């Protein structure tokens, strides 16, 4: 610590405007009065969060709305529950929201670290190094909870304020942010709990493995992804990956595939539109699931990770050793590269056309276009309807979509 230690009557460096002895110095006295390790560490956490809130209050007000949208990007709910505010705030303070920019806590440590008491400085450094994760409860004893991080398999003992009273027969998962103080761990802020009664842990692990393959490295999941996955798992909702990837192929591989794919028991041939042959899985699927073959590439897309893995296994078996090119993924949270825009738009057109074909429309007496196609004059009726739509288009993309719909009908 610097020799320029703050005096008791000097202004408190936290920016409160009070004298040090009436502000953070007082917090130090309160912390010292507690002999209970949990309370002492917890008071360190509270003191630090008060300091950060005071120091960055105006900045956080300006960025809060946009940051909250970013935090909820992978969640099925557009609004953050009030009781989850501490999870969001911890991410806002302690994680790097922009990879190349320091977190607010890192900025505070750089600016004010020399004035912090050693215990607070250690606590702040631990918070900076922390991350949101999911843990399986192994067992409990006294005021200790024994956990295993389901991602890296590390086993950790955590201090509790009160005894754990959940039945040991229940398989429990916890989501929270653990920090290490001295030789002990405690949770920072709110901890969410769910019962692993429907494959929830495997759901997390499958997406963790997917993330590692996507990044081609083992990296922690960001807090927004962990929170989004937890929310989906808790509500037993599918997490839409919107994954689109392709394999470049030779002329010979195309000739082989055009023969092999229709005979694949795991695939159903749907249609040939333009120069593309479209397939889906032969089993019941959830969301949009497609395999597309052209003379240049074999591409697959799926929303659900199990169906993506199934399609990927089929393609890899047919074309072993060919590297995948990732076109799109929800977890990347960035648009496809420009060189893949035509492929991405092709799948978007087919997906929207599929939705249109199977949705009842008022113009069709609340029948679907697929039902109309089964009628004697159905094809002509749909083409006339699409011609009517064409008179109101406002962009080249809309014109291309209408033309694709016509091609599908024909």
């Amino acid at each position: 610590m610097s020799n320029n230690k703050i005096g008791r009557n000097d202004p408190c460096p936290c920016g409160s405007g009070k004298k040090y002895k009436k502000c953070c110095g007082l917090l130090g006295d309160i912390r010292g009065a507690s002999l209970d390790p949990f309370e002492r560490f917890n008071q360190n956490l509270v003191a630090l969060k008060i300091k950060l809130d005071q120091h960055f209050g105006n900045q956080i007000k300006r960025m809060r709305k946009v940051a909250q949208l970013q935090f909820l990007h992978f969640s099925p709910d557009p609004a953050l529950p009030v009781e989850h505010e501490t999870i969001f705030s911890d991410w806002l303070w302690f994680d790097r929201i922009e990879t190349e920019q320091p977190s607010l806590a890192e900025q505070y440590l750089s600016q004010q670290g020399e004035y912090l008491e050693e215990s607070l400085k250690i606590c702040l450094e631990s918070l900076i190094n922390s991350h949101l994760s999911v843990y399986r409860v192994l067992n409990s004893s006294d005021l200790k909870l024994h956990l295993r991080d389901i991602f890296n398999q590390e086993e950790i003992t955590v201090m509790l304020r009160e005894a754990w009273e959940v039945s040991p027969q229940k398989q429990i998962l916890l989501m929270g942010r653990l920090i290490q103080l001295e030789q002990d761990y405690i949770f920072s802020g709110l901890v969410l709990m769910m019962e692993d009664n429907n494959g929830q842990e495997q759901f997390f692990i499958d997406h963790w493995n997917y993330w590692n393959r996507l990044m081609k490295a083992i990296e922690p999941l960001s807090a927004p992804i962990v929170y989004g996955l937890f929310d989906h798992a808790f509500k037993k909702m599918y997490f839409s990956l919107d994954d689109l990837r392709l394999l470049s192929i030779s002329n010979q591989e195309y000739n082989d595939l055009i023969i092999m794919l229709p005979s694949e028991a795991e695939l159903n041939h749907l249609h040939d539109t333009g120069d593309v042959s479209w397939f889906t899985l032969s089993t019941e699927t959830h969301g949009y699931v497609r395999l597309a073959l052209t003379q240049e590439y074999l591409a697959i897309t799926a929303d659900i990770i199990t169906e993506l893995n199934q399609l990927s296994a089929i393609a890899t078996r047919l074309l072993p050793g060919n590297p995948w090119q990732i076109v799109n993924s929800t977890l990347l949270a960035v648009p496809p590269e420009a060189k893949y825009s035509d492929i991405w738009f092709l799948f978007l057109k087919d997906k929207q056309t599929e939705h249109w074909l199977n949705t009842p429309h008022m113009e069709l007496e609340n029948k679907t276009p697929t039902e109309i196609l089964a009628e004697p004059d159905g094809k002509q009726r749909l083409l006339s309807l699409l011609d009517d739509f064409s008179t109101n288009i406002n962009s080249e993309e809309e014109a291309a979509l209408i033309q694709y719909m016509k091609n599908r009908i024909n």
Side-chain angles (χ1 to χ4, degrees):
M1 183 169 296
S2 169
N3 291 327
N4 300 323
K5 186 174 181 181
I6 194 73
R8 285 177 55 79
N9 290 312
D10 290 336
C12 188
C14 75
S16 66
K18 299 179 180 179
K19 292 182 178 181
Y20 177 70
K21 67 181 180 181
K22 296 292 186 180
C23 187
C24 294
L26 184 60
L27 285 171
D29 293 339
I30 294 172
R31 289 194 306 276
S34 175
L35 298 178
D36 176 71
F38 179 92
E39 290 300 331
R40 187 170 72 253
F41 295 156
N42 191 58
Q43 286 170 359
N44 279 337
L45 285 176
V46 172
L48 275 173
K49 291 179 181 182
I50 290 173
K51 287 175 176 290
L52 289 168
D53 197 45
Q54 291 174 335
H55 190 81
F56 294 108
N58 292 332
Q59 182 177 342
I60 287 175
K61 284 179 182 178
R62 291 193 300 269
M63 66 186 294
R64 187 175 186 83
K65 186 174 181 180
V66 173
Q68 195 168 102
L69 290 175
Q70 186 176 345
F71 183 74
L72 295 172
H73 182 77
F74 304 101
S75 173
D77 291 330
L80 182 73
V82 174
E83 61 271 22
H84 294 181
E85 280 286 341
T86 58
I87 299 175
F88 167 69
S89 294
D90 277 6
W91 168 74
L92 195 59
W93 285 328
F94 307 122
D95 291 357
R96 289 190 169 189
I97 298 176
E98 301 294 337
T99 307
E100 302 303 321
Q101 297 296 323
S103 65
L104 294 180
E106 287 174 310
Q107 294 175 42
Y108 186 84
L109 181 63
S110 173
Q111 297 165 10
Q112 306 291 336
E114 63 179 317
Y115 301 110
L116 287 174
E117 297 174 23
E118 193 63 24
S119 60
L120 283 180
K121 187 175 182 181
I122 292 172
C123 183
L124 182 57
E125 289 170 341
S126 183
L127 282 163
I128 289 171
N129 293 322
S130 68
H131 63 277
L132 192 67
S133 193
V134 180
Y135 303 90
R136 173 171 287 282
V137 176
L138 301 178
N139 55 68
S140 63
S141 58
D142 300 324
L143 294 178
K144 298 290 181 71
L145 197 59
H146 308 289
L147 308 175
R148 184 186 72 244
D149 188 311
I150 67 170
F151 300 123
N152 63 23
Q153 301 302 304
E154 181 182 3
E155 294 191 7
I156 303 167
T157 299
V158 183
M159 291 191 298
L160 300 174
R161 174 181 277 121
E162 299 174 350
W164 178 257
E165 296 181 351
V166 178
S167 168
Q169 279 70 46
K170 289 188 176 182
Q171 303 297 308
I172 299 298
L173 298 176
L174 302 177
M175 183 187 73
R177 180 182 294 266
L178 277 180
I179 64 167
Q180 183 175 11
L181 299 171
E182 298 177 7
Q183 300 303 312
D184 296 297
Y185 287 85
I186 66 171
F187 278 109
S188 169
L190 181 70
V191 179
L192 297 182
M193 180 176 72
M194 79 166 75
E195 193 171 352
D196 182 18
N197 54 12
N198 194 33
Q200 284 89 343
E201 180 174 349
Q202 191 60 49
F203 170 85
F204 285 112
I205 292 173
D206 287 344
H207 286 84
W208 160 247
N209 291 333
Y210 170 85
W211 172 253
N212 291 333
R213 293 193 298 269
L214 198 64
M215 304 306 294
K216 298 180 181 178
I218 298 177
E219 297 182 11
L221 292 168
S222 68
I225 295 177
V226 175
Y227 181 82
L229 288 173
F230 195 92
D231 206 6
H232 279 83
F234 182 76
K235 295 170 181 173
K236 296 182 171 62
M237 296 173 62
Y238 291 111
F239 184 86
S240 178
L241 291 171
D242 195 19
D243 186 287
L244 173 59
R245 56 186 61 196
L246 62 87
L247 297 169
S248 299
I249 59 175
S250 64
N251 287 336
Q252 184 58 54
E253 287 171 328
Y254 171 77
N255 292 331
D256 292 340
L257 288 170
I258 203 69
I259 296 172
M260 291 188 294
L261 285 175
S263 62
E264 275 289 323
E266 294 181 75
L267 296 176
N268 280 340
H269 180 232
L270 294 173
H271 58 89
D272 294 325
T273 300
D275 60 354
V276 186
S277 295
W278 295 88
F279 300 81
T280 191
L281 292 171
S282 56
T283 54
E284 182 182 0
T285 58
H286 303 86
Y288 182 69
V289 182
R290 292 293 184 273
L291 180 149
L293 176 66
T294 74
Q295 290 187 325
E296 290 80 31
Y297 60 80
L298 177 71
I300 61 173
T301 188
D303 292 328
I304 311 307
I305 195 165
T306 52
E307 295 168 353
L308 175 66
N309 290 341
Q310 191 175 350
L311 279 179
S312 179
I314 295 169
T316 302
R317 174 164 46 81
L318 295 172
L319 295 172
N322 290 36
W324 287 108
Q325 301 296 320
I326 304 299
V327 176
N328 189 64
S329 172
T330 298
L331 292 189
L332 291 178
V334 293
E337 294 182 49
K339 62 182 177 181
Y340 296 131
S341 59
D342 288 345
I343 298 171
W344 176 81
F345 187 47
L346 170 65
F347 276 82
L348 180 62
K349 288 186 294 185
D350 190 73
K351 185 175 185 177
Q352 291 182 338
T353 299
E354 196 68 30
H355 177 73
W356 178 75
L357 285 169
N358 294 286
T359 300
H361 299 277
M362 291 181 61
E363 302 91 339
L364 303 174
E365 296 83 40
N366 287 322
K367 293 181 181 179
T368 68
T370 299
E371 291 171 328
I372 296 297
L373 276 174
E375 298 176 359
D377 62 342
K379 181 186 292 187
Q380 190 55 48
R381 186 178 176 188
L382 291 178
L383 291 173
S384 297
L385 179 63
L386 291 173
D387 284 337
D388 291 340
F389 290 164
S390 298
T391 62
N392 296 314
I393 59 176
N394 298 310
S395 67
E396 292 182 4
E397 289 78 10
E398 290 179 350
L401 176 59
I402 295 295
Q403 185 57 53
Y404 187 84
M405 289 177 171
K406 290 181 177 180
N407 293 342
R408 280 288 306 269
I409 291 170
N410 282 320

